[in-house]
Amino acid sequence: MNKPVSVTVLQRYHRNGFNQRSRTIVYLAGASMFLFAITVLGTLLGDKAITTDFTQKNLLPQLSHPFGTDWLGRDMLSRTLKGLSISIYIGLFASSISAAIAAVLGAAAATLGKKVDAVITWFIDLVMGIPHLLLLILISYALGRGTFGVVVAVSISHWPVLTRIIRGEILQLKEANYIKIAEKLGQSKLKIVVKHMLPHVFPQFLVGLVLLFPHAILHEAALTFLGFGLPPEQPGIGIILSESMKYLALGMWWLALFPGAFLLLTVFLFDRIGESLRKIIDPHSAHD
């Protein structure tokens, strides 16, 4: 008789971990491809998102116009894709700048002494102590609003959390034996940070960068919705949602429903990409 093959707890753990890790990779690839497709389609649409056709105005969602049309006959699917692509571009650019600021300040706070650390920590507490949306509005308004104001406002208001993470990681690294050996060998602080510390914290930096995207996209849309962001001639998601508010009472529900739903879907996918990336980079978190 054949003896039943027993599966140990460790084998089952590794099997489940592999399956979950594989699913995480597939999910990451699928979400990334979907967002990439939205960005490319929105870019290729060109002026179609602002093209008016008064013979097609106020149409309900149908086969020829899946998201309906607005009061000027503009196709809402085209406007939604174009608006999302603009939000994604702004979010990516602003998040990259914010993450770079966080990396520099986090490394400086952890390596340049107590005085520098105290100053940077004070700035972190100051920025985090101001209501986030209020800070965004003040910065954007001071810079004349528009795309430049939005990018700067988002960039210089999203770095504190990531700065704290990088600072904490580097402070722990300073106690590592290989860092102490490098110091005794006479290597400069800059060389130690660039060569030994930053590569070690790069996974945390990358995950933090990706997780900044949904915040940046939401805050860009919020600023634009409140009138402190992109100009009205640009079909940003905030502009679309702001313009649709006055027509909801007339029963034109599709003007806000589909753009709002796709905005939330985009933010959700970016958040899931960040979490999936964290699980892939950190093997222990893949089994959480």
Side-chain angles (χ1 to χ4, degrees), residues 63-191:
L63 190 61
S64 58
H65 300 284
F67 287 6
T69 62
D70 65 4
W71 60 97
L72 295 177
R74 296 173 295 190
D75 181 60
M76 289 305 298
L77 175 59
S78 300
R79 287 180 65 77
T80 299
L81 292 176
K82 185 68 174 181
L84 284 175
S85 67
I86 292 174
S87 296
I88 290 173
Y89 280 129
I90 292 177
L92 290 174
F93 187 58
S95 298
S96 300
I97 296 175
S98 190
I101 294 172
V104 172
L105 293 181
T111 58
L112 296 182
K114 293 183 178 180
K115 291 185 178 180
V116 175
D117 187 22
V119 172
I120 294 176
T121 302
W122 181 82
F123 271 111
I124 292 174
D125 294 336
L126 175 65
V127 174
M128 296 187 71
I130 303 174
H132 206 73
L133 188 58
L134 176 61
L135 179 62
L136 288 166
I137 291 174
L138 290 174
I139 296 173
S140 180
Y141 185 79
L143 295 175
R145 297 180 285 187
T147 304
F148 178 74
V150 171
V151 171
V152 174
V154 175
S155 300
I156 64 177
S157 63
H158 284 71
W159 54 268
V161 175
L162 185 56
T163 301
R164 280 185 168 177
I165 294 173
I166 294 175
R167 173 183 173 273
E169 291 288 335
I170 293 180
L171 284 175
Q172 291 183 352
L173 276 178
K174 289 176 68 176
E175 303 301 321
N177 290 331
Y178 72 95
I179 298 295
K180 293 182 178 180
I181 292 172
E183 292 174 349
K184 290 181 179 180
L185 290 175
Q187 293 188 6
S188 64
K189 286 185 177 181
L190 180 60
K191 186 175 182 180

Side-chain angles (χ1 to χ4, degrees), residues 240-253:
I240 295 173
L241 293 176
S242 178
E243 292 177 344
S244 67
M245 291 298 103
K246 65 185 75 172
Y247 293 93
L248 289 180
L250 301 178
M252 299 170 66
W253 50 268

Side-chain angles (χ1 to χ4, degrees), residues 12-50:
R12 188 181 297 113
Y13 179 81
H14 282 301
R15 183 194 304 169
N16 292 339
F18 174 77
N19 292 338
Q20 187 173 6
R21 190 172 181 83
S22 300
R23 288 195 298 269
T24 301
I25 294 174
V26 172
Y27 187 88
L28 173 63
S32 301
M33 290 176 62
F34 181 79
L35 291 172
F36 179 75
I38 289 178
T39 306
V40 172
L41 288 173
T43 304
L44 294 177
L45 283 172
D47 294 333
K48 189 176 180 180
I50 59 175

Side-chain angles (χ1 to χ4, degrees), residues 24 27-36 206-207 210-211 213-214 266-280:
T24 301
Y27 187 88
L28 173 63
S32 301
M33 290 176 62
F34 181 79
L35 291 172
F36 179 75
L206 183 61
V207 173
V210 175
L211 290 176
F213 293 162
T266 301
V267 170
F268 173 77
L269 288 177
F270 267 119
D271 184 68
R272 292 298 91 193
I273 287 174
E275 290 297 323
S276 300
L277 194 60
R278 180 181 64 85
K279 290 181 179 181
I280 293 172

Side-chain angles (χ1 to χ4, degrees), residues 188-221:
S188 64
K189 286 185 177 181
L190 180 60
K191 186 175 182 180
I192 292 174
V193 170
V194 174
K195 187 177 180 181
H196 300 293
M197 293 182 173
L198 290 183
H200 183 86
V201 301
F202 180 75
Q204 290 85 349
F205 170 81
L206 183 61
V207 173
L209 170 62
V210 175
L211 290 176
L212 280 176
F213 293 162
H215 294 278
I217 292 171
L218 268 183
H219 287 136
E220 177 274 322

